[in-house]
Amino acid sequence: MVIPASALLTLVALCSLKLTGELTGRLVNAPELSAKEHTLEVTLHAAITKGGRNSFYFNGQPIAPTLRLFPGDRLKITYVNDLPAKPLESCAITPCMDMTNLHFHGLTVSPDAPQDDVLDMMAKPGQSLHYTVQIPKDHPPGLYWYHTHPHGESHRQVLDGMSGALVIEGIEAYVPEIAGLSERILIVRGQSIENAPDAATLKHRVALNSYDCGGEPEAPEEIFTVNGSVRPRIEIAPGERQFWRLVNASADRYVDLQLEGQQFEIIAMDGMPIAQHDAEHRTRRAEHVSLPPAGRLEAIVTGPSAASPRRLISRCVDTGPDGDPNPAMVLADIVPKPAPRAAHNTQGSSLVPNLKTLDLAAEEKAPARFTVTFTEDKHSFYINGDKFALDAGPMVRAKVGTYQHWKIVNATKELHPMHIHQVHFLAYAENDRPIADPLWLDTVNVPYGGSVDVIMDFTDPVIKGMSVFHCHLLNHEDKGMMAKILFE
């Protein structure tokens, strides 16, 4: 459903958010903005809420709009840093300077300014950035997202909720039945309860499971919200099929998603339609889906019967002996739908799917061309023994037009999600064993004490310039677990 942007809509959404941001309420959608004449222009501000948290502001309200574009459209964002010169919160690297910028996570666009540049585009308080992001005409349709990415300060900004959904239209060309279904965009974020006076109430509200599931034996510090609400109600009639698009927008927590009593009919992961690389098997079914921080799921779901469990939950995730607690909890309650929702936007149904049939067997069997090794100590986090520095040169160079076998090794005692900007990769082996039904992703969990083998897709001629890859536990990225890659 495409909703025209207006100040009135934003105010209505904000009022609803205030209601659902307490302990209960219906799911609330962010305002949606769409391109006009192939261009979407928007002004975002970075500012402080009355509660002292970092936030995006749109039309004067603390909310992040959902951005909707078609392949070939242009996104123009004026991003104004209205954060105070003296930060109100601490950050991973001192001194904090309240710098900020934007990353368009998963988009296959240029890493050079004024597009997805997280290295040189940086706004201090009182400064502005002007982004012009050209969406390629052959860009895969799907769910992406945007969030801040200032090195050293990204964790606290994303933890505070500085993120939003970004949709590239046209996915119904890959799975036509989506066009007739109601659509939901679900943004899951972590909310800190470490110093919250109502922490006990919030834990009870989400039925937070206190038992140890593999992480450090310490009290959980975060709960999940969905579209800014704690355990909202999602309306779906028993037996009704809906199209859900969900992003794990948390700064440092894993989601193992399960709709109790139902399966997910997976259409896409990390914005990449399954059909793009496997036209014979356009969907896959799963009882639950693991999403690392930054992971996305697009799936058809079926409303459970009135007699079955009716909860959307995140299962317990074992993050390792040195990992943070990631217990099970309830994300939302499923309730009968009183009235039909609008169907998914079908304007992109005339797009021609960009299907790719690839034979990567030779590259998979060849020795890794590059190995990424995650290590850490009590003070910092490293890739291949190096701590990230803004003035460092590229750790690796990638020839545009090639596929490359990379091995990611996790030499630590905690789970790490590896993300690379600009490109997707095929994750095909874990701990040197083939993965059944491998998927194309842009973020992958690397098991503690283990490894993942991937085939990087460096074939897009649009992607040239300096970019980065890093652990998407943003506290780890802030403390050094990031490196540069030069696409040439």
Side-chain angles (χ1 to χ4, degrees):
M1 177 175 61
V2 178
I3 306 174
S6 70
L8 176 61
L9 175 62
T10 306
L11 289 172
V12 170
L14 181 65
C15 291
S16 299
L17 280 173
K18 287 180 178 178
L19 292 174
T20 59
E22 297 174 358
L23 293 183
T24 187
R26 294 174 57 188
L27 184 78
V28 175
N29 300 316
E32 298 191 353
L33 310 179
S34 297
K36 296 180 179 179
E37 298 181 353
H38 303 291
T39 300
L40 172 55
E41 295 192 47
V42 60
T43 298
L44 285 179
H45 293 254
I48 299 294
T49 66
K50 292 181 179 179
R53 296 171 58 186
N54 300 279
S55 178
F56 287 138
Y57 273 72
F58 169 67
N59 280 355
Q61 305 297 336
I63 195 168
T66 294
L67 310 178
R68 307 190 76 121
L69 302 106
F70 282 91
D73 285 349
R74 179 180 291 110
L75 173 63
K76 301 182 72 173
I77 298 180
T78 298
Y79 185 44
V80 184
N81 187 349
D82 289 331
L83 295 171
K86 185 176 181 180
L88 303 182
E89 299 179 90
S90 62
C91 58
I93 298 177
T94 55
C96 296
M97 295 187 289
D98 265 348
M99 301 181 299
T100 191
N101 62 3
L102 296 176
H103 169 45
F104 305 98
H105 187 115
L107 291 188
T108 58
V109 298
S110 171
D112 290 339
Q115 301 202 56
D116 191 25
D117 178 3
V118 300
L119 294 171
D120 297 317
M121 293 186 71
M122 196 72 65
K124 296 180 180 179
Q127 297 179 338
S128 298
L129 297 172
H130 300 277
Y131 290 92
T132 300
V133 182
Q134 180 62 52
I135 310 299
K137 292 182 178 180
D138 60 350
H139 198 290
L143 177 64
Y144 301 86
W145 65 302
Y146 61 97
H147 62 87
T148 61
H149 207 292
H151 179 62
E153 306 189 45
S154 60
H155 179 266
R156 68 188 178 98
Q157 292 184 9
V158 174
L159 181 61
D160 278 354
M162 296 185 75
S163 60
L166 192 159
V167 174
I168 302 299
E169 305 281 15
I171 199 168
E172 61 275 0
Y174 293 78
V175 184
E177 58 263 37
I178 292 174
L181 303 182
S182 298
E183 179 195 72
R184 293 195 180 278
I185 294 179
L186 307 175
I187 304 175
V188 176
R189 299 184 178 97
Q191 177 177 309
S192 176
I193 57 172
E194 190 174 7
N195 299 310
D198 57 346
T201 300
L202 292 171
K203 288 181 181 180
H204 177 74
R205 172 64 190 161
V206 300
L208 191 146
N209 200 326
S210 60
Y211 70 83
D212 175 23
C213 54
E216 292 182 342
E218 58 187 34
E221 299 175 350
E222 295 180 29
I223 62 169
F224 289 121
T225 65
V226 181
N227 292 4
S229 301
V230 177
R231 195 171 173 173
R233 300 192 301 268
I234 299 178
E235 297 172 348
I236 181 171
E240 179 193 4
R241 285 157 60 83
Q242 292 185 356
F243 181 39
W244 287 12
R245 316 179 94 159
L246 185 144
V247 53
N248 178 5
S250 63
D252 54 8
R253 290 297 183 267
Y254 302 85
V255 173
D256 191 355
L257 195 69
Q258 183 177 27
L259 180 59
E260 292 179 317
Q262 300 295 318
Q263 289 186 328
F264 293 105
E265 186 177 351
I266 303 172
I267 305 299
M269 295 292 293
D270 286 3
M272 183 65 68
I274 291 175
Q276 177 145 327
H277 294 95
D278 190 354
E280 299 299 320
H281 306 89
R282 293 172 178 256
T283 66
R284 296 181 185 174
R285 290 187 175 272
E287 301 287 343
H288 63 99
V289 179
S290 177
L291 293 179
R296 283 98 67 211
L297 167 69
E298 294 171 83
I300 297 172
V301 302
T302 302
S305 67
S308 65
R310 304 179 64 85
R311 302 184 305 174
L312 179 66
I313 67 171
S314 179
R315 296 156 34 118
C316 170
V317 177
D318 178 2
T319 63
D322 291 345
D324 294 323
N326 214 115
M329 67 184 77
V330 179
L331 301 180
D333 292 300
I334 309 302
V335 299
K337 185 179 70 170
R341 284 174 50 83
H344 169 61
N345 173 37
T346 61
Q347 295 181 46
S349 58
S350 62
L351 296 176
V352 178
N354 180 25
L355 304 179
K356 298 181 179 180
T357 301
L358 302 174
D359 183 1
L360 301 174
E363 189 66 37
E364 291 177 9
K365 295 177 182 178
R369 300 197 196 188
F370 183 63
T371 298
V372 178
T373 302
F374 290 154
T375 57
E376 61 184 74
D377 56 32
K378 294 182 179 180
H379 307 289
S380 298
F381 296 82
Y382 311 90
I383 293 180
N384 294 357
D386 289 338
K387 183 177 178 180
F388 179 78
L390 282 170
D391 59 356
M395 179 175 286
V396 61
R397 296 170 182 263
K399 183 70 173 177
V400 175
T402 64
Y403 293 95
Q404 288 190 9
H405 172 194
W406 282 25
K407 180 180 282 289
I408 301 104
V409 177
N410 183 355
T412 76
K413 295 181 180 180
E414 66 177 307
L415 192 62
H416 291 287
M418 198 285 295
H419 168 57
I420 184 168
H421 290 204
Q422 323 315 137
V423 304
H424 281 73
F425 50 79
L426 176 68
Y428 70 92
E430 182 176 308
N431 294 335
D432 298 320
R433 295 180 179 180
I435 295 173
D437 299 324
L439 292 168
W440 288 84
L441 308 168
D442 62 40
T443 308
V444 65
N445 276 334
V446 188
Y448 54 90
S451 65
V452 171
D453 287 83
V454 305
I455 301 296
M456 292 286 180
D457 183 356
F458 296 139
T459 60
D460 193 334
V462 170
I463 301 169
K464 292 183 179 179
M466 192 74 77
S467 190
V468 295
F469 56 97
H470 60 88
C471 173
H472 218 285
L473 297 176
L474 293 180
N475 190 41
H476 296 180
E477 180 269 306
D478 280 344
K479 293 182 178 179
M481 197 171 272
M482 182 164 72
K484 295 180 182 178
I485 177 172
L486 179 62
F487 300 109
E488 57 185 4

